[in-house]
Amino acid sequence: MKTKLQIPPLTIYNTRTRKKEEFKPVNPPYVGIYVCGPTVYSDPHLGHARAAVVFDVLRRYLTSMGYKVRFVSNITDVGHLEGDADEGEDKIQKRARLEQLEPMEIAQHYTRVYNMAMAKLNVIPPNIQPHATCHIPEQIELVKRILERGFAYVVNGSVYFDVPKYAEKYQYGVLSGRKLEELENVTRELRGVEEKRHPADFALWKKAPPTHIMKWKSPWSVGFPGWHLECTVMNAKYLGIPFDIHGGGMDLIFPHHECEIMQAVAAWDTEPVRYWMHNNLITIDGQKMSKSLGNFITIEQVFTGDHERLSKAYSPMAVRLLILQTHYRSVIDFSDSGLASAEKAYKRLIYTLKKLDTLEFQGGNVNIELEERIVKHINDFYKFMSDDLSTARAIAQLFELSSIVNQLADKGKTVREVSYEVGNLLKTQYATTLKEILGILPEEEHVDSFRLNAVLQILITIRQEARQQKNFQLADRIRDQLKEVGIVLRDTPYGTEWDIE
RNA sequence: GGCAGCGUGGCCGAGGGGCUAGGCGGGGGCCUGCAAAGCCCUUGACGGCGGUUCGAAUCCGCCCGCUGCCUCCA
């Protein structure tokens, strides 16, 4: 029985070419990945969870293949205006004004919430998590460079990217397939952007209105950087141009990623990215989940069950499995029953993981056909993972193995139908693929246990009720006793936070 | 309107000319003090109408239905 694994080369569906391509790094064995991170002005939702989990698995898989991965994912703590370019207000600034807080307080808070949610989902933190506001000088430099090269113009202290000029020399819309002429018709509805020469032009630097809190000095005005600049600057700085993989949600293809390409090409005459990967979106009852529609479910709500569409609290690992049981380029329609189904399935995979540990593979009466099946399922796991990260099919192999292991386990601890060699391969591969590559852990190995949080939420609620009834003796007792065991409660404008000291 | 995509068994969800996807659920049984888990057996599908083909869920055409992007969002 051959126990040497065959791991085929990874192929990736490249949005840029609209084909599956074999992945070849720019500088092997190093691989640079950049994934667009969150704008930190509200609680992270299931869409964030999906993008994070998908690219976490990509990173884990590449690492398992022996690549040295540098994973960069940004925190957008400025920018992304709402509404018309001229009338719009920075999201974080708006939130800050509403809650009477420093913008950085908002950004800091939601960055923490995001990172905690990611930890619960067992997403490995980025090697670098750069903040947009920490790269203002670099962004100004890039604007200067694009200006010098003639692909931008200044109007009233704001700088705009000159798309028609760009389109004279380079091809427009290489990623989204959009055509410049078609864009004119659509965007004519957006009036009040007189500063722009062409509707497709976009801001590189905006002069700040007097009421604006978040602003920086630049050669053109006191203002703030444009919507798409930070990613170009930060992936160039930390990964170099060109780098290997740029990821994000499909909704970012246009205009965000298209603009990133134009900025980089305008600045350095080089397309910045080899492979563009885009995960599909999440729907709720068949409808897109979005902030503006207000129908989103936050990650935390899933973990606590605190949402009208949820019947109970679900394990982060159930969420992770649910996400991975769908191919990343397909839509996931989110539902309570889907989560329940994923949670059961998760428990089944973990049951097998634990059973497998107790089995002793001794051989002696080897069933060759069974051994062949085992080895085939393991190899197929890698075959499907390498086929554009087909996690759904890969996981199906794990369920096949689960069924085999459970059947063996039913007959007792000592297994004679499978040799020591194949049994050992089964043990190590089942654990490796499930835990290391898919990132699906047993609850108790999951350090950031969501149940601890659930329990604390109960205590926090009880304490809150006590405070409202002016029963401060009880409220303080809860806080003091938690502190004794190393858990700190903090009352903030958004409610009570907890932290481990 | 332009562009992209989808419609698979009770639900979710892979696949994509002949070869078991998988999970959850349902039915029957084993095990068990009860329950749960696990095991065995079982149920069952490719939106509609045409066409290509020896053969179509898979290719082509038309029709019906749904969704996304085109504007901030993962």
Side-chain angles (χ1 to χ4, degrees):
Chain A
M1 178 60 39
K2 273 195 278 181
T3 54
K4 181 102 177 97
L5 292 179
Q6 311 201 327
I7 302 180
L10 175 65
T11 57
I12 288 175
Y13 180 86
N14 189 350
T15 312
R16 174 70 177 79
T17 57
R18 303 188 183 223
K19 291 191 302 232
K20 274 190 209 173
E21 296 174 4
E22 188 174 329
F23 173 68
K24 288 183 182 144
V26 178
N27 297 307
Y30 300 99
V31 174
I33 305 179
Y34 186 97
V35 177
C36 286
T39 304
V40 281
Y41 71 106
S42 63
D43 287 322
H45 53 71
L46 284 168
H48 292 110
R50 183 177 198 185
V53 167
V54 164
F55 289 105
D56 184 55
V57 170
L58 173 69
R59 172 202 198 157
R60 287 166 178 271
Y61 191 56
L62 285 166
T63 304
S64 83
M65 292 176 100
Y67 291 112
K68 307 282 180 215
V69 179
R70 177 182 286 171
F71 192 93
V72 182
S73 189
N74 62 299
I75 291 290
T76 299
D77 51 1
V78 66
H80 293 344
L81 295 176
E82 295 188 320
D84 280 359
D86 280 352
E87 312 304 324
E89 185 172 15
D90 189 281
K91 283 172 179 171
I92 292 166
Q93 156 145 327
K94 183 178 177 184
R95 193 77 189 221
R97 191 171 52 73
L98 289 174
E99 301 187 19
Q100 303 233 319
L101 296 166
E102 264 307 307
M104 275 303 164
E105 244 178 310
I106 304 287
Q108 186 69 50
H109 171 77
Y110 288 112
T111 302
R112 283 189 59 218
V113 172
Y114 178 81
N115 284 336
M116 277 177 74
M118 292 305 119
K120 287 174 191 170
L121 287 165
N122 195 219
V123 170
I124 301 172
N127 297 296
I128 303 174
Q129 188 177 40
H131 293 237
T133 54
C134 298
H135 297 76
I136 301 294
E138 289 91 338
Q139 295 185 66
I140 290 172
E141 285 308 307
L142 184 65
V143 176
K144 275 189 197 164
R145 185 171 174 92
I146 294 173
L147 270 170
E148 279 163 15
R149 299 199 27 154
F151 293 105
Y153 54 91
V154 183
V155 183
N156 299 329
S158 292
V159 186
Y160 294 96
F161 193 95
D162 192 337
V163 172
K165 188 76 182 293
Y166 177 91
E168 282 173 20
K169 186 169 180 191
Y170 305 103
Q171 200 191 336
Y172 178 81
V174 290
L175 191 65
S176 62
R178 214 132 305 187
K179 295 184 175 63
L180 200 50
E181 315 83 68
E182 287 168 1
L183 214 64
E184 290 183 50
N185 307 327
V186 178
T187 45
R188 72 177 165 215
E189 288 164 27
L190 292 172
R191 286 180 300 276
V193 284
E194 297 83 8
E195 287 185 350
K196 288 198 219 171
R197 291 182 196 162
H198 185 98
D201 292 352
F202 56 93
L204 296 174
W205 186 264
K206 287 288 285 184
K207 181 180 177 179
T211 53
H212 215 90
I213 314 169
M214 300 185 86
K215 51 194 171 187
W216 293 265
K217 277 185 192 164
S218 80
W220 313 285
S221 64
V222 176
F224 50 94
W227 314 2
H228 314 295
L229 213 53
E230 58 175 286
C231 289
T232 300
V233 159
M234 296 190 292
N235 51 223
K237 177 165 180 173
Y238 298 114
L239 297 173
I241 299 287
F243 65 98
D244 298 299
I245 299 172
H246 190 133
M250 271 177 52
D251 51 341
L252 295 176
I253 293 174
F254 188 89
H256 184 55
H257 291 331
E258 198 74 80
C259 292
E260 277 187 46
I261 292 176
M262 288 192 280
Q263 287 168 346
V265 171
W268 304 298
D269 205 33
T270 306
E271 269 205 38
V273 176
R274 287 289 188 83
Y275 304 88
W276 285 95
M277 290 180 74
H278 296 278
N279 61 280
N280 213 137
L281 307 183
I282 278 179
T283 58
I284 300 210
D285 294 330
Q287 194 182 28
K288 172 177 88 140
M289 181 168 78
S290 84
K291 285 174 185 171
S292 54
L293 289 174
N295 68 341
F296 63 92
I297 299 180
T298 70
I299 297 173
E300 198 56 33
Q301 282 171 327
V302 178
F303 299 164
T304 60
D306 179 23
H307 194 283
E308 58 179 3
R309 292 176 196 263
L310 302 176
S311 62
K312 65 182 278 286
Y314 291 102
S315 154
M317 290 298 116
V319 175
R320 199 170 165 111
L321 183 60
L322 177 66
I323 290 168
L324 295 175
Q325 275 191 293
T326 305
H327 185 82
Y328 73 91
R329 286 191 283 115
S330 298
V331 174
I332 298 179
D333 190 37
F334 178 82
S335 69
D336 187 61
S337 65
L339 273 168
S341 162
E343 190 161 81
K344 284 254 179 94
Y346 162 66
K347 284 179 180 162
R348 188 172 154 82
L349 290 173
I350 297 303
Y351 173 89
T352 299
L353 181 71
K354 290 176 179 170
K355 270 289 166 201
L356 198 47
D357 246 2
T358 67
L359 295 184
E360 288 164 24
F361 294 95
Q362 291 190 351
N365 186 22
V366 170
N367 178 341
I368 298 285
E369 188 266 341
L370 179 65
E371 288 199 334
E372 280 173 353
R373 273 170 57 209
I374 290 170
V375 174
K376 175 155 177 24
H377 287 310
I378 293 170
N379 276 314
D380 278 355
F381 177 92
Y382 291 100
K383 181 177 123 192
F384 291 131
M385 285 299 287
S386 280
D387 182 7
D388 192 30
L389 233 54
S390 294
T391 49
R393 274 187 288 170
I395 289 169
Q397 305 312 310
L398 256 35
F399 281 111
E400 298 284 2
L401 291 174
S402 166
S403 181
I404 291 171
V405 171
N406 292 347
Q407 281 175 50
L408 291 174
D410 245 35
K411 295 180 203 158
K413 276 191 175 183
T414 305
V415 180
R416 302 204 181 279
E417 292 116 298
V418 176
S419 67
Y420 174 80
E421 199 186 13
V422 172
N424 199 21
L425 180 81
L426 176 58
K427 279 188 181 185
T428 50
Q429 281 303 311
Y430 189 89
T432 302
T433 53
L434 185 65
K435 288 157 71 173
E436 305 302 323
I437 296 179
L438 298 175
I440 293 171
L441 301 176
E443 290 293 351
E444 62 271 22
E445 286 183 34
H446 196 196
V447 182
D448 298 275
S449 169
F450 86 110
R451 291 202 191 279
L452 176 61
N453 183 53
V455 169
L456 281 163
Q457 291 306 325
I458 292 167
L459 281 171
I460 286 168
T461 305
I462 292 170
R463 179 166 164 274
Q464 196 57 36
E465 284 163 10
R467 287 169 78 202
Q468 274 158 13
Q469 291 159 16
K470 307 232 186 275
N471 184 352
F472 296 114
Q473 198 188 346
L474 176 59
D476 290 348
R477 186 175 148 207
I478 291 171
R479 185 167 54 194
D480 294 345
Q481 292 195 345
L482 282 173
K483 189 171 170 63
E484 281 171 27
V485 296
I487 292 166
V488 191
L489 294 189
R490 278 189 222 103
D491 298 318
T492 77
Y494 337 90
T496 302
E497 293 178 351
W498 67 270
D499 206 356
I500 294 178
E501 248 187 352

